[in-house]
Amino acid sequence: MDKGIFGEYNIVYRDGGREMIIQLPDTSSIRSYIQFEKEMYYIINNGTNTRTLFDAAGIESISLSVLRVLEKLRLEFGNMKITNMKPEVYEMVRDSGFLDLC
């Protein structure tokens, strides 16, 4: 477990540290999207990875605010995807216009 600036996230490194997998928290546990963005930026910016995956296996829904944060990070850092989405989460991502994150 890697401790972020404001919270804890389950993070796994694969492929010799080149790939980082961050388990997405349940949207209801995010108190501030500005804080969430700062935490993700800190974790990604301080890693040595070249690819970041956001594992959505443990969430039932995803908010538009979280998608905006992830898209902003993808545009800045590049190679990022959301993985292990349940069908209803995928539909939310698709219907919100963030298919580049899939």
Side-chain angles (χ1 to χ4, degrees):
M1 193 112 49
D2 190 4
K3 188 168 182 149
I5 298 171
F6 302 105
E8 292 187 8
Y9 294 91
N10 186 13
I11 302 171
V12 176
Y13 291 91
R14 291 193 312 204
D15 194 21
R18 289 187 293 270
E19 185 172 80
M20 177 171 49
I21 304 165
I22 302 170
Q23 184 177 2
L24 281 175
D26 181 26
T27 300
S28 64
S29 70
I30 298 173
R31 293 183 206 123
S32 163
Y33 293 99
I34 294 170
Q35 174 181 323
F36 174 70
E37 182 178 349
K38 287 179 184 179
E39 291 172 342
M40 290 297 106
Y41 184 89
Y42 176 83
I43 291 168
I44 295 164
N45 197 44
N46 288 296
T48 59
N49 56 300
T50 55
R51 179 181 168 126
T52 302
L53 301 175
F54 296 98
D55 185 357
I59 62 173
E60 301 295 324
S61 66
I62 192 164
S63 73
L64 188 55
S65 296
V66 167
L67 289 172
R68 285 182 183 139
V69 167
L70 297 180
E71 178 67 5
K72 183 177 178 182
L73 293 167
R74 185 189 70 78
L75 291 172
E76 182 166 346
F77 291 104
N79 202 359
M80 295 184 175
K81 298 286 181 194
I82 302 172
T83 63
N84 298 325
M85 287 182 276
K86 294 177 181 162
E88 56 272 16
V89 174
Y90 176 80
E91 288 176 19
M92 290 175 197
V93 174
R94 182 196 65 209
D95 293 348
S96 299
F98 289 100
L99 281 177
D100 287 343
L101 289 169
C102 297

XYZ file of all heavy atoms in Angstrom:
826
model
N 0.841 -1.173 0.000
C 0.000 0.000 0.000
C 0.889 1.239 0.000
O 1.831 1.322 0.741
C -0.882 -0.038 1.241
C -1.985 0.929 1.218
S -3.677 0.402 1.089
C -3.976 -0.836 2.241
N 0.577 2.159 -0.863
C 1.339 3.389 -0.944
C 0.478 4.511 -0.390
O -0.663 4.674 -0.787
C 1.698 3.670 -2.407
C 2.684 4.802 -2.556
O 3.146 5.325 -1.524
O 2.988 5.158 -3.695
N 1.005 5.261 0.556
C 0.236 6.326 1.181
C 0.391 7.603 0.376
O 1.485 8.066 0.128
C 0.712 6.541 2.617
C -0.167 7.485 3.379
C 0.135 7.449 4.844
C -0.820 8.382 5.536
N -1.156 7.984 6.850
N -0.749 8.182 -0.045
C -0.746 9.420 -0.809
C -0.629 10.612 0.118
O -0.422 10.481 1.325
N -0.796 11.782 -0.439
C -0.710 13.001 0.352
C -1.807 13.037 1.409
O -1.579 13.357 2.557
C -0.853 14.246 -0.563
C 0.263 14.300 -1.586
C -0.850 15.524 0.257
C 0.072 15.365 -2.645
N -3.018 12.684 1.010
C -4.162 12.814 1.904
C -4.833 11.490 2.237
O -5.779 11.457 2.982
C -5.220 13.735 1.282
C -4.698 15.100 0.972
C -4.422 15.466 -0.320
C -4.491 16.015 1.986
C -3.943 16.736 -0.614
C -4.016 17.288 1.708
C -3.743 17.648 0.404
N -4.417 10.398 1.656
C -5.111 9.141 1.881
C -4.281 7.955 1.458
O -3.138 8.090 1.069
N -4.883 6.797 1.527
C -4.200 5.566 1.152
C -4.880 4.946 -0.055
O -6.097 4.929 -0.156
C -4.206 4.583 2.311
C -3.338 5.052 3.461
C -3.200 4.005 4.550
O -3.641 2.870 4.343
O -2.649 4.341 5.596
N -4.072 4.436 -0.959
C -4.561 3.771 -2.154
C -3.819 2.455 -2.313
O -2.632 2.376 -2.035
C -4.322 4.647 -3.396
C -5.131 5.915 -3.362
C -4.601 7.076 -2.806
C -6.433 5.934 -3.829
C -5.352 8.230 -2.747
C -7.190 7.080 -3.764
C -6.648 8.225 -3.224
O -7.394 9.367 -3.152
N -4.538 1.453 -2.777
C -3.920 0.169 -3.062
C -3.238 0.291 -4.425
O -3.893 0.512 -5.436
C -4.984 -0.930 -3.069
C -4.388 -2.300 -3.209
O -3.191 -2.479 -3.070
N -5.220 -3.270 -3.494
N -1.917 0.184 -4.434
C -1.138 0.348 -5.659
C -0.271 -0.879 -5.868
O 0.401 -1.336 -4.953
C -0.245 1.611 -5.583
C -1.112 2.840 -5.356
C 0.605 1.750 -6.836
C -0.323 4.085 -5.048
N -0.291 -1.405 -7.081
C 0.508 -2.571 -7.442
C 1.381 -2.185 -8.630
O 0.919 -1.519 -9.556
C -0.404 -3.763 -7.824
C 0.424 -4.941 -8.296
C -1.303 -4.147 -6.668
N 2.636 -2.589 -8.595
C 3.560 -2.356 -9.711
C 3.811 -3.673 -10.420
O 3.999 -4.707 -9.775
C 4.882 -1.779 -9.211
C 4.738 -0.374 -8.683
C 4.459 -0.139 -7.344
C 4.865 0.712 -9.527
C 4.310 1.149 -6.861
C 4.723 2.000 -9.047
C 4.447 2.211 -7.722
O 4.293 3.488 -7.251
N 3.821 -3.633 -11.749
C 4.118 -4.817 -12.563
C 5.163 -4.458 -13.598
O 5.477 -3.285 -13.804
C 2.864 -5.290 -13.312
C 1.801 -5.875 -12.448
C 0.749 -6.604 -13.240
N 0.237 -5.858 -14.383
C -0.949 -6.071 -14.933
N -1.745 -6.982 -14.450
N -1.338 -5.366 -15.984
N 5.657 -5.483 -14.242
C 6.598 -5.315 -15.351
C 7.813 -4.496 -14.920
O 8.195 -3.517 -15.566
C 5.889 -4.673 -16.544
C 6.702 -4.780 -17.838
O 7.585 -5.665 -17.924
O 6.464 -3.962 -18.742
N 8.393 -4.883 -13.797
C 9.591 -4.213 -13.303
C 9.357 -2.767 -12.897
O 10.265 -1.952 -12.940
N 8.133 -2.439 -12.507
C 7.818 -1.085 -12.072
C 7.379 -0.157 -13.183
O 7.065 1.005 -12.943
N 7.342 -0.676 -14.420
C 6.954 0.182 -15.545
C 5.441 0.372 -15.633
O 4.967 1.284 -16.296
C 7.494 -0.372 -16.850
C 9.006 -0.223 -16.958
C 9.517 -0.614 -18.325
N 9.368 -2.024 -18.602
C 10.295 -2.941 -18.325
N 11.430 -2.580 -17.784
N 10.100 -4.201 -18.610
N 4.699 -0.492 -14.965
C 3.244 -0.393 -14.989
C 2.727 -0.276 -13.557
O 3.094 -1.070 -12.702
C 2.640 -1.623 -15.673
C 1.158 -1.550 -15.850
C 0.643 -2.692 -16.698
O 0.486 -3.803 -16.164
O 0.421 -2.467 -17.901
N 1.909 0.724 -13.312
C 1.345 0.950 -11.985
C -0.171 0.780 -12.076
O -0.816 1.344 -12.972
C 1.680 2.365 -11.491
C 1.072 2.696 -10.156
S 1.661 4.260 -9.408
C 1.505 5.431 -10.730
N -0.723 0.005 -11.151
C -2.164 -0.210 -11.096
C -2.680 0.399 -9.792
O -2.245 0.021 -8.705
C -2.510 -1.712 -11.148
C -1.903 -2.335 -12.408
C -4.020 -1.909 -11.095
C -1.874 -3.837 -12.390
N -3.591 1.363 -9.928
C -4.171 2.045 -8.774
C -5.626 1.626 -8.666
O -6.400 1.785 -9.622
C -4.096 3.578 -8.931
C -2.659 4.031 -9.125
C -4.742 4.270 -7.729
C -2.516 5.496 -9.515
N -5.999 1.079 -7.522
C -7.392 0.701 -7.311
C -8.215 1.968 -7.087
O -7.930 2.754 -6.180
C -7.521 -0.230 -6.114
C -8.924 -0.724 -5.899
C -9.010 -1.693 -4.747
O -8.029 -1.973 -4.072
N -10.187 -2.209 -4.519
N -9.213 2.173 -7.943
C -10.060 3.352 -7.797
C -10.928 3.233 -6.554
O -11.535 2.192 -6.313
C -10.965 3.521 -9.022
C -10.335 4.129 -10.254
C -11.329 4.123 -11.406
C -9.854 5.545 -9.986
N -11.016 4.292 -5.774
C -11.884 4.262 -4.601
C -13.335 4.452 -5.020
O -13.633 5.023 -6.066
C -11.398 5.458 -3.773
C -10.872 6.412 -4.788
C -10.285 5.543 -5.889
N -14.236 3.979 -4.181
C -15.656 4.207 -4.392
C -15.902 5.720 -4.397
O -15.371 6.445 -3.552
C -16.448 3.536 -3.274
C -17.934 3.694 -3.432
O -18.403 3.859 -4.575
O -18.635 3.656 -2.410
N -16.665 6.191 -5.345
C -16.917 7.625 -5.478
C -17.452 8.233 -4.187
O -17.116 9.360 -3.843
C -17.908 7.883 -6.630
O -17.343 7.381 -7.834
C -18.194 9.345 -6.806
N -18.242 7.478 -3.448
C -18.820 8.019 -2.212
C -17.762 8.278 -1.138
O -17.994 9.044 -0.203
C -19.894 7.079 -1.666
O -19.315 5.848 -1.291
N -16.588 7.663 -1.273
C -15.529 7.866 -0.278
C -14.659 9.086 -0.597
O -13.816 9.472 0.203
C -14.648 6.622 -0.167
O -13.868 6.469 -1.332
N -14.864 9.688 -1.769
C -14.084 10.860 -2.158
C -14.781 12.104 -1.611
O -15.886 12.423 -2.006
C -13.930 10.948 -3.687
C -13.177 9.721 -4.203
C -13.214 12.233 -4.082
C -13.114 9.627 -5.707
N -14.134 12.765 -0.690
C -14.724 13.955 -0.060
C -14.507 15.209 -0.889
O -15.303 16.124 -0.853
C -14.142 14.138 1.336
C -14.558 13.040 2.264
C -14.044 13.267 3.668
N -13.946 11.950 4.283
C -12.870 11.442 4.797
N -11.766 12.134 4.850
N -12.877 10.243 5.313
N -13.387 15.258 -1.612
C -13.052 16.436 -2.408
C -12.369 15.983 -3.688
O -11.377 15.256 -3.641
C -12.117 17.358 -1.616
O -11.474 18.268 -2.462
N -12.905 16.410 -4.822
C -12.307 16.018 -6.091
C -10.998 16.761 -6.339
O -10.122 16.250 -7.019
C -13.309 16.196 -7.233
C -14.433 15.214 -7.057
C -15.637 15.596 -6.493
C -14.248 13.875 -7.374
C -16.651 14.671 -6.279
C -15.245 12.942 -7.171
C -16.452 13.355 -6.621
O -17.436 12.435 -6.396
N -10.856 17.940 -5.772
C -9.574 18.652 -5.858
C -8.515 17.864 -5.095
O -7.398 17.679 -5.564
C -9.706 20.092 -5.319
C -10.624 20.903 -6.232
C -8.335 20.755 -5.194
C -11.019 22.249 -5.684
N -8.885 17.350 -3.931
C -7.975 16.527 -3.130
C -7.644 15.239 -3.881
O -6.483 14.826 -3.940
C -8.630 16.215 -1.788
C -7.842 15.257 -0.917
C -8.578 14.976 0.381
O -9.213 15.852 0.955
N -8.497 13.746 0.841
N -8.641 14.591 -4.473
C -8.434 13.365 -5.235
C -7.458 13.620 -6.384
O -6.538 12.837 -6.617
C -9.775 12.845 -5.771
C -9.656 11.665 -6.686
C -9.270 10.422 -6.199
C -9.939 11.786 -8.035
C -9.160 9.328 -7.041
C -9.829 10.705 -8.884
C -9.439 9.470 -8.386
N -7.630 14.737 -7.084
C -6.725 15.079 -8.192
C -5.298 15.280 -7.684
O -4.342 14.786 -8.292
C -7.211 16.347 -8.892
C -6.345 16.726 -10.068
C -6.864 17.958 -10.792
O -7.985 18.410 -10.530
O -6.121 18.462 -11.641
N -5.136 15.984 -6.574
C -3.801 16.195 -6.005
C -3.148 14.871 -5.619
O -1.954 14.670 -5.858
C -3.879 17.100 -4.775
C -4.139 18.547 -5.085
C -4.215 19.353 -3.804
C -4.560 20.800 -4.063
N -4.659 21.571 -2.816
N -3.929 13.982 -5.007
C -3.386 12.686 -4.598
C -2.948 11.872 -5.809
O -1.854 11.304 -5.827
C -4.424 11.907 -3.797
C -4.707 12.504 -2.448
C -5.864 11.844 -1.732
O -6.677 11.155 -2.386
O -5.956 12.028 -0.507
N -3.784 11.807 -6.840
C -3.444 11.043 -8.042
C -2.230 11.659 -8.744
O -1.335 10.949 -9.180
C -4.637 10.984 -9.005
C -5.795 10.138 -8.521
S -5.362 8.397 -8.313
C -5.278 8.291 -6.536
N -2.206 12.982 -8.826
C -1.064 13.660 -9.451
C 0.228 13.325 -8.702
O 1.236 12.994 -9.313
C -1.295 15.177 -9.482
C -0.203 15.915 -10.209
C -0.286 16.121 -11.582
C 0.916 16.383 -9.542
C 0.723 16.785 -12.267
C 1.934 17.049 -10.217
C 1.826 17.238 -11.570
O 2.833 17.882 -12.249
N 0.179 13.380 -7.382
C 1.356 13.080 -6.562
C 1.826 11.644 -6.798
O 3.012 11.400 -7.021
C 1.035 13.306 -5.084
C 2.159 12.931 -4.169
C 3.200 13.812 -3.916
C 2.190 11.686 -3.550
C 4.248 13.460 -3.079
C 3.235 11.328 -2.707
C 4.255 12.216 -2.474
O 5.289 11.858 -1.648
N 0.901 10.701 -6.751
C 1.250 9.288 -6.908
C 1.851 9.029 -8.289
O 2.894 8.393 -8.426
C 0.018 8.393 -6.661
C -0.368 8.432 -5.182
C 0.289 6.960 -7.112
C -1.719 7.815 -4.883
N 1.196 9.539 -9.324
C 1.659 9.289 -10.692
C 2.959 10.032 -10.979
O 3.888 9.476 -11.562
C 0.566 9.670 -11.704
C -0.644 8.742 -11.509
C 1.088 9.603 -13.133
C -1.903 9.243 -12.173
N 3.047 11.271 -10.559
C 4.234 12.089 -10.827
C 5.478 11.563 -10.119
O 6.584 11.737 -10.601
C 3.970 13.543 -10.414
C 4.962 14.500 -11.012
O 5.289 14.410 -12.181
N 5.436 15.423 -10.205
N 5.294 10.887 -8.987
C 6.440 10.377 -8.232
C 6.766 8.924 -8.543
O 7.670 8.363 -7.941
C 6.203 10.569 -6.735
C 6.316 12.028 -6.354
O 7.374 12.618 -6.481
N 5.215 12.607 -5.941
N 6.048 8.327 -9.466
C 6.322 6.947 -9.842
C 7.326 6.882 -10.979
O 7.624 7.884 -11.629
N 7.843 5.686 -11.208
C 8.789 5.478 -12.303
C 8.118 4.756 -13.460
O 8.787 4.354 -14.407
C 9.991 4.638 -11.819
O 9.494 3.381 -11.339
C 10.756 5.352 -10.741
N 6.815 4.621 -13.379
C 6.067 3.850 -14.366
C 5.915 4.611 -15.683
O 5.994 5.824 -15.734
C 4.695 3.489 -13.822
C 3.927 4.719 -13.390
O 4.363 5.451 -12.524
N 2.795 4.959 -14.013
N 5.670 3.849 -16.745
C 5.391 4.438 -18.048
C 3.933 4.215 -18.437
O 3.477 4.754 -19.432
C 6.292 3.829 -19.136
O 6.141 2.415 -19.135
C 7.747 4.191 -18.885
N 3.220 3.425 -17.649
C 1.802 3.150 -17.909
C 1.075 3.076 -16.581
O 1.546 2.447 -15.636
C 1.651 1.835 -18.667
C 0.229 1.464 -18.947
C 0.148 0.144 -19.670
N -1.216 -0.308 -19.670
C -1.885 -0.630 -20.746
N -1.307 -0.594 -21.914
N -3.129 -1.032 -20.664
N -0.100 3.722 -16.509
C -0.914 3.696 -15.301
C -2.278 3.112 -15.635
O -2.925 3.543 -16.587
C -1.101 5.114 -14.712
O 0.189 5.655 -14.429
C -1.911 5.077 -13.434
N -2.677 2.130 -14.848
C -4.003 1.536 -14.982
C -4.794 1.845 -13.717
O -4.270 1.734 -12.614
C -3.899 0.019 -15.167
C -3.089 -0.452 -16.373
C -2.976 -1.967 -16.359
C -3.703 0.038 -17.672
N -6.051 2.233 -13.910
C -6.949 2.465 -12.790
C -7.904 1.286 -12.726
O -8.705 1.085 -13.637
C -7.711 3.779 -12.966
C -6.820 4.986 -12.956
C -6.401 5.566 -14.139
C -6.395 5.520 -11.752
C -5.570 6.681 -14.134
C -5.558 6.629 -11.737
C -5.151 7.207 -12.922
N -7.801 0.488 -11.672
C -8.599 -0.720 -11.515
C -9.965 -0.351 -10.942
O -10.077 0.129 -9.819
C -7.877 -1.696 -10.592
C -8.576 -3.028 -10.471
O -9.669 -3.204 -11.051
O -8.031 -3.912 -9.784
N -11.014 -0.592 -11.729
C -12.372 -0.236 -11.325
C -13.181 -1.438 -10.854
O -14.400 -1.347 -10.727
C -13.082 0.447 -12.486
N -12.519 -2.551 -10.570
C -13.237 -3.773 -10.201
C -14.083 -3.615 -8.942
O -15.130 -4.244 -8.815
C -12.249 -4.922 -10.017
N -13.664 -2.756 -8.035
C -14.363 -2.637 -6.755
C -15.407 -1.546 -6.685
O -15.937 -1.272 -5.614
N -15.718 -0.908 -7.826
C -16.692 0.183 -7.770
C -17.949 -0.159 -8.570
O -17.901 -0.891 -9.553
C -16.094 1.518 -8.240
C -15.636 1.458 -9.697
C -14.929 1.929 -7.353
C -15.203 2.790 -10.255
N -19.059 0.379 -8.112
C -20.357 0.145 -8.754
C -20.739 1.282 -9.688
O -21.586 1.114 -10.561
C -21.449 -0.026 -7.688
C -21.199 -1.176 -6.725
C -21.226 -2.530 -7.409
O -22.035 -2.727 -8.340
O -20.425 -3.398 -7.015
N -20.160 2.450 -9.468
C -20.444 3.610 -10.316
C -19.223 4.524 -10.308
O -18.324 4.364 -9.487
C -21.677 4.361 -9.818
O -21.416 4.933 -8.555
N -19.231 5.471 -11.238
C -18.125 6.422 -11.307
C -18.719 7.790 -11.628
O -19.604 7.907 -12.470
C -17.065 5.980 -12.342
C -15.800 6.803 -12.214
C -17.617 5.982 -13.748
C -14.588 6.183 -12.909
N -18.258 8.789 -10.943
C -18.826 10.125 -11.129
C -18.158 10.843 -12.290
O -17.024 10.546 -12.679
C -18.678 10.953 -9.852
O -17.339 11.334 -9.677
N -18.861 11.813 -12.822
C -18.324 12.638 -13.885
C -17.095 13.399 -13.401
O -16.130 13.576 -14.141
C -19.402 13.615 -14.381
C -19.077 14.431 -15.617
C -18.682 13.543 -16.785
C -20.268 15.293 -15.987
N -17.086 13.800 -12.136
C -15.923 14.515 -11.582
C -14.677 13.638 -11.582
O -13.586 14.104 -11.916
C -16.228 14.998 -10.161
O -17.269 15.935 -10.180
N -14.815 12.374 -11.204
C -13.675 11.453 -11.222
C -13.204 11.256 -12.658
O -12.001 11.271 -12.934
C -14.036 10.102 -10.558
C -12.979 9.049 -10.857
C -14.195 10.267 -9.060
N -14.127 11.096 -13.583
C -13.750 10.931 -14.987
C -13.002 12.153 -15.507
O -12.017 12.017 -16.234
C -14.980 10.656 -15.843
C -15.620 9.284 -15.644
C -16.942 9.207 -16.390
C -14.677 8.175 -16.069
N -13.428 13.329 -15.116
C -12.728 14.550 -15.546
C -11.309 14.597 -14.990
O -10.370 14.991 -15.683
C -13.506 15.786 -15.095
C -14.737 16.029 -15.915
C -15.441 17.291 -15.468
N -16.671 17.480 -16.214
C -17.798 17.902 -15.685
N -17.868 18.209 -14.409
N -18.863 18.039 -16.430
N -11.150 14.200 -13.727
C -9.807 14.168 -13.129
C -8.932 13.166 -13.884
O -7.790 13.473 -14.237
C -9.882 13.808 -11.622
C -8.496 13.465 -11.072
C -10.512 14.938 -10.822
N -9.458 11.964 -14.133
C -8.670 10.936 -14.823
C -8.316 11.369 -16.244
O -7.199 11.130 -16.713
C -9.415 9.606 -14.826
C -9.680 8.987 -13.452
C -10.428 7.671 -13.599
C -8.412 8.816 -12.648
N -9.246 12.028 -16.931
C -8.956 12.507 -18.285
C -7.887 13.598 -18.258
O -6.978 13.614 -19.103
C -10.241 13.030 -18.947
C -10.032 13.595 -20.334
C -9.617 12.575 -21.383
O -9.560 11.353 -21.103
O -9.333 12.998 -22.516
N -7.962 14.487 -17.301
C -6.944 15.541 -17.172
C -5.564 14.921 -16.947
O -4.578 15.327 -17.558
C -7.313 16.461 -16.005
C -6.384 17.626 -15.819
C -6.873 18.524 -14.694
C -5.919 19.670 -14.456
N -6.352 20.528 -13.354
N -5.505 13.905 -16.089
C -4.239 13.214 -15.828
C -3.751 12.476 -17.076
O -2.564 12.481 -17.386
C -4.390 12.239 -14.663
C -4.634 12.872 -13.294
C -5.075 11.819 -12.298
C -3.401 13.600 -12.803
N -4.671 11.852 -17.801
C -4.299 11.130 -19.022
C -3.699 12.085 -20.049
O -2.696 11.783 -20.701
C -5.508 10.419 -19.625
C -5.161 9.552 -20.842
C -6.396 9.037 -21.529
N -7.115 10.094 -22.214
C -6.769 10.620 -23.398
N -5.698 10.183 -24.030
N -7.479 11.572 -23.948
N -4.299 13.262 -20.175
C -3.781 14.238 -21.132
C -2.397 14.744 -20.733
O -1.571 15.035 -21.598
C -4.765 15.407 -21.272
C -6.077 15.054 -21.973
C -7.051 16.221 -21.883
C -5.842 14.623 -23.406
N -2.146 14.832 -19.437
C -0.838 15.318 -18.980
C 0.230 14.229 -18.998
O 1.359 14.457 -19.413
C -0.936 15.894 -17.574
C 0.394 16.438 -17.101
C 0.295 17.308 -15.868
O -0.807 17.727 -15.499
O 1.344 17.556 -15.262
N -0.121 13.032 -18.516
C 0.882 11.978 -18.338
C 0.879 10.931 -19.450
O 1.814 10.144 -19.546
C 0.685 11.275 -16.998
C 1.007 12.144 -15.820
C -0.010 12.703 -15.060
C 2.317 12.418 -15.468
C 0.283 13.505 -13.966
C 2.622 13.218 -14.386
C 1.595 13.767 -13.634
N -0.181 10.876 -20.245
C -0.201 9.906 -21.339
C -0.833 8.582 -20.989
O -1.925 8.536 -20.465
N -0.162 7.531 -21.201
C -0.622 6.157 -21.209
C -1.389 5.733 -19.946
O -0.813 5.168 -19.027
C 0.594 5.261 -21.433
C 0.239 3.918 -21.978
O -0.911 3.603 -22.197
N 1.250 3.102 -22.195
N -2.710 5.979 -19.933
C -3.559 5.641 -18.781
C -4.869 5.048 -19.263
O -5.439 5.515 -20.248
C -3.880 6.877 -17.951
C -2.699 7.478 -17.309
S -3.227 8.855 -16.285
C -1.672 9.266 -15.564
N -5.350 4.052 -18.539
C -6.610 3.395 -18.865
C -7.325 2.978 -17.590
O -6.694 2.713 -16.567
C -6.373 2.132 -19.711
C -5.727 2.365 -21.045
C -6.689 2.974 -22.010
C -6.010 3.186 -23.356
N -6.742 4.038 -24.228
N -8.653 2.884 -17.685
C -9.456 2.284 -16.613
C -9.678 0.830 -17.015
O -10.062 0.549 -18.153
C -10.817 2.989 -16.455
C -10.631 4.477 -16.157
C -11.628 2.329 -15.349
C -11.927 5.268 -16.180
N -9.430 -0.094 -16.086
C -9.577 -1.520 -16.380
C -10.591 -2.162 -15.435
O -10.980 -1.580 -14.427
C -8.230 -2.261 -16.225
O -7.799 -2.159 -14.864
C -7.174 -1.676 -17.143
N -10.980 -3.382 -15.766
C -11.855 -4.209 -14.933
C -13.182 -3.525 -14.587
O -13.676 -3.638 -13.479
C -11.147 -4.632 -13.641
C -9.922 -5.469 -13.922
O -9.909 -6.253 -14.861
N -8.888 -5.291 -13.131
N -13.746 -2.809 -15.557
C -15.012 -2.120 -15.312
C -16.186 -3.087 -15.408
O -16.238 -3.910 -16.322
C -15.218 -1.007 -16.337
C -14.348 0.187 -16.135
S -14.699 1.465 -17.371
C -13.678 0.894 -18.720
N -17.113 -2.948 -14.496
C -18.382 -3.661 -14.602
C -19.153 -3.013 -15.754
O -18.913 -1.844 -16.086
C -19.146 -3.543 -13.293
C -18.436 -4.257 -12.167
C -19.134 -4.083 -10.853
C -18.309 -4.832 -9.809
N -18.584 -4.439 -8.469
N -20.075 -3.742 -16.371
C -20.804 -3.192 -17.517
C -21.468 -1.839 -17.244
O -21.422 -0.945 -18.093
C -21.850 -4.267 -17.830
C -21.234 -5.534 -17.326
C -20.443 -5.140 -16.107
N -22.028 -1.673 -16.063
C -22.707 -0.409 -15.759
C -21.712 0.747 -15.621
O -22.018 1.891 -15.960
C -23.601 -0.511 -14.512
C -22.902 -0.978 -13.271
C -22.859 -2.494 -13.069
O -23.105 -3.260 -14.015
O -22.575 -2.914 -11.935
N -20.499 0.464 -15.145
C -19.458 1.498 -15.051
C -18.976 1.856 -16.451
O -18.814 3.032 -16.787
C -18.286 1.050 -14.148
C -17.143 2.066 -14.175
C -18.772 0.826 -12.720
N -18.781 0.841 -17.301
C -18.376 1.096 -18.685
C -19.402 1.981 -19.390
O -19.047 2.919 -20.110
C -18.184 -0.214 -19.458
C -17.862 0.033 -20.912
C -16.573 0.368 -21.297
C -18.864 -0.028 -21.873
C -16.276 0.636 -22.627
C -18.574 0.232 -23.206
C -17.276 0.563 -23.575
O -16.994 0.835 -24.893
N -20.694 1.697 -19.179
C -21.749 2.499 -19.795
C -21.664 3.960 -19.340
O -21.861 4.879 -20.146
C -23.122 1.929 -19.470
C -23.421 0.642 -20.199
C -24.749 0.031 -19.796
O -25.604 0.750 -19.244
O -24.933 -1.174 -20.042
N -21.375 4.180 -18.052
C -21.235 5.548 -17.538
C -20.066 6.261 -18.219
O -20.183 7.427 -18.596
C -21.018 5.536 -16.021
C -22.215 5.135 -15.226
S -21.750 5.039 -13.481
C -23.099 4.084 -12.833
N -18.954 5.547 -18.368
C -17.774 6.126 -19.019
C -18.092 6.439 -20.475
O -17.831 7.540 -20.962
C -16.558 5.178 -18.901
C -15.372 5.692 -19.701
C -16.168 4.996 -17.436
N -18.685 5.476 -21.148
C -19.037 5.647 -22.568
C -20.031 6.794 -22.762
O -19.836 7.673 -23.596
C -19.634 4.352 -23.112
C -19.992 4.422 -24.593
C -20.906 3.312 -25.032
N -22.184 3.485 -24.332
C -22.990 2.485 -24.020
N -22.678 1.246 -24.320
N -24.131 2.716 -23.393
N -21.094 6.795 -21.971
C -22.147 7.808 -22.127
C -21.656 9.206 -21.748
O -22.230 10.200 -22.191
C -23.367 7.446 -21.278
C -24.067 6.177 -21.771
O -23.745 5.699 -22.899
O -24.908 5.641 -21.036
N -20.614 9.287 -20.950
C -20.042 10.582 -20.565
C -19.022 11.093 -21.575
O -18.511 12.198 -21.440
C -19.382 10.478 -19.180
O -20.341 10.123 -18.212
N -18.683 10.252 -22.562
C -17.767 10.672 -23.616
C -16.288 10.509 -23.282
O -15.452 11.179 -23.875
N -15.980 9.613 -22.361
C -14.574 9.430 -21.945
C -14.025 8.070 -22.403
O -13.266 7.430 -21.674
C -14.451 9.573 -20.426
C -14.640 10.979 -19.948
C -15.857 11.384 -19.414
C -13.628 11.905 -20.048
C -16.046 12.690 -18.971
C -13.794 13.219 -19.609
C -15.010 13.605 -19.065
N -14.368 7.659 -23.626
C -13.908 6.360 -24.114
C -12.397 6.271 -24.258
O -11.845 5.179 -24.285
C -14.587 6.020 -25.444
C -16.016 5.493 -25.316
C -16.627 5.264 -26.686
C -16.062 4.220 -24.490
N -11.702 7.408 -24.333
C -10.233 7.369 -24.397
C -9.629 6.790 -23.124
O -8.468 6.398 -23.116
C -9.664 8.769 -24.633
C -9.882 9.248 -26.051
O -10.162 8.421 -26.938
O -9.786 10.464 -26.280
N -10.418 6.743 -22.066
C -9.920 6.168 -20.806
C -10.105 4.650 -20.759
O -9.648 4.003 -19.825
C -10.654 6.793 -19.613
C -10.298 8.242 -19.310
C -11.266 8.831 -18.285
C -8.875 8.332 -18.785
N -10.781 4.084 -21.766
C -11.041 2.629 -21.769
C -9.997 1.880 -22.576
O -9.395 2.377 -23.458
C -12.402 2.344 -22.363
S -13.754 3.040 -21.427
